[in-house]
Amino acid sequence: MTIRITFGRACRETRLRLDITQQDLADAVGVSRGYIGRVELGQVNVTIDLIERIAERLGQRLEFAVAPPTFLSTTRSHDRVHAWCVEAVARRLLRAGWRVAREVDVADGRGHAWIDLLAFDPETGTLLVIEIKTRLDDLGGLQRQIGWYERYAAAAAQRLGWRAQRTATWLVALGSDEVEEVIRRERLLFDGLFPGRAGHMLDVIERQALPTTRAVALVDPASKRRAWLIRTRLDGRRSTLSYRGYADAARRHRS
């Protein structure tokens, strides 16, 4: 129901209870009787000034509330480490022949989010929804983001002219001890939410496999290695990571 219909009905109901004619109300607020009739039917876009005058004459209390949409993620151009990781992943995908879009807006009027990277391979029709994380502070929020992205990613791809035949969601996190400790501590959650691993993800990028599930890997944005997606220790990796945590990566990126 639109605002003008809601207001019009409230005006009519109040006017009748007060035993005021449309002409009396029209004279009091400075418009014609016919205009008041159209206001009550919700047929005109009433100015805020007139709404206030009508409400004052009828003794109504006006309340104006605006509920913003739910923001499931934000644009993070101010986060240098996050931007560093996004560019590193995007560069590798582009080099492998994938089409890449950054900060893809997905909204439905009630919620709003931005997919960090949307990547499409026209050869296989594969669409990758990639969330980049430099920290893993809110795992509940991460799950909500992933669900939202999966609901609206196909429509976002269509707007880009991409006709996806299959879609996979990947989490690529900064390769730091800080991030890996969270993954280790929440092993059961990550095994269930992201059963795919770095090796399979690299095979998908090189078109040696098709994605079958959600997946997780780490990334060192400064790495020049061919196998640039890094396994977690849960997958048997023994080598040390490049960064202790976000602050260490930020310091080294500045230098």
Side-chain angles (χ1 to χ4, degrees), residues 7-253:
F7 180 70
R9 289 183 179 179
C11 287
R12 177 175 172 79
E13 291 172 4
T14 304
R15 180 180 63 76
L16 292 175
R17 280 174 170 260
L18 294 174
D19 196 25
I20 297 175
T21 67
Q22 287 183 340
Q23 188 62 60
D24 289 338
L25 180 57
D27 292 341
V29 300
V31 297
S32 68
R33 185 200 63 77
Y35 192 84
I36 291 297
R38 292 195 296 276
V39 168
E40 292 183 347
L41 292 173
Q43 296 177 342
V44 292
N45 290 319
V46 191
T47 65
I48 293 177
D49 179 65
L50 182 57
I51 288 174
E52 290 178 335
R53 297 205 307 273
I54 292 174
E56 182 179 3
R57 175 65 182 86
L58 296 177
Q60 295 169 319
R61 183 180 72 253
L62 294 175
E63 295 181 354
F64 184 70
V66 177
T70 301
F71 289 92
L72 296 170
S73 66
T74 59
T75 55
R76 287 163 288 197
S77 58
H78 60 282
D79 186 333
R80 294 181 60 186
V81 177
H82 182 266
W84 189 25
C85 292
V86 168
E87 288 305 313
V89 175
R91 184 172 60 252
R92 294 284 192 157
L93 288 165
L94 288 168
R95 190 179 300 167
W98 289 67
R99 299 176 184 175
V100 176
R102 299 167 178 80
E103 295 289 356
V104 179
D105 189 355
V106 284
D108 72 346
R110 296 176 295 106
H112 214 105
W114 290 266
I115 299 173
D116 286 327
L117 289 173
L118 206 57
F120 178 67
D121 177 28
E123 292 186 21
T124 62
T126 299
L127 180 70
L128 299 179
V129 181
I130 304 176
E131 175 67 6
I132 308 293
K133 290 292 186 186
T134 54
R135 294 187 179 98
L136 294 175
D137 299 327
D138 183 2
L139 298 182
L142 173 62
Q143 293 181 70
R144 289 190 294 274
Q145 283 179 254
I146 294 300
W148 187 271
Y149 296 163
E150 291 173 339
R151 193 174 305 130
Y152 296 105
Q158 286 182 344
R159 290 194 296 271
L160 293 168
W162 300 347
R163 301 184 63 181
Q165 299 177 28
R166 63 190 59 81
T167 302
T169 304
W170 289 358
L171 170 64
V172 179
L174 175 68
S176 71
D177 297 334
E178 180 181 56
V179 165
E180 188 155 76
E181 172 57 25
V182 176
I183 295 176
R184 184 200 63 78
R185 190 172 63 243
E186 301 292 343
R187 175 172 190 153
L188 291 178
L189 173 65
F190 278 91
D191 280 343
L193 194 59
F194 299 100
R197 297 296 182 251
H200 178 69
M201 295 162 74
L202 287 169
D203 287 343
V204 170
I205 292 172
E206 297 299 328
R207 301 176 184 83
Q208 297 175 9
L210 294 175
T212 57
T213 185
R214 293 175 177 172
V216 60
L218 305 177
V219 66
D220 176 358
S223 174
K224 306 297 183 182
R225 296 177 55 195
R226 179 177 176 82
W228 56 278
L229 286 175
I230 306 168
R231 294 182 299 167
T232 71
R233 288 195 185 278
L234 300 183
D235 308 318
R237 182 182 52 76
R238 297 179 180 275
S239 59
T240 59
L241 294 170
S242 299
Y243 312 104
R244 292 189 300 275
Y246 177 90
D248 184 31
R251 176 183 58 78
R252 293 175 62 177
H253 181 44

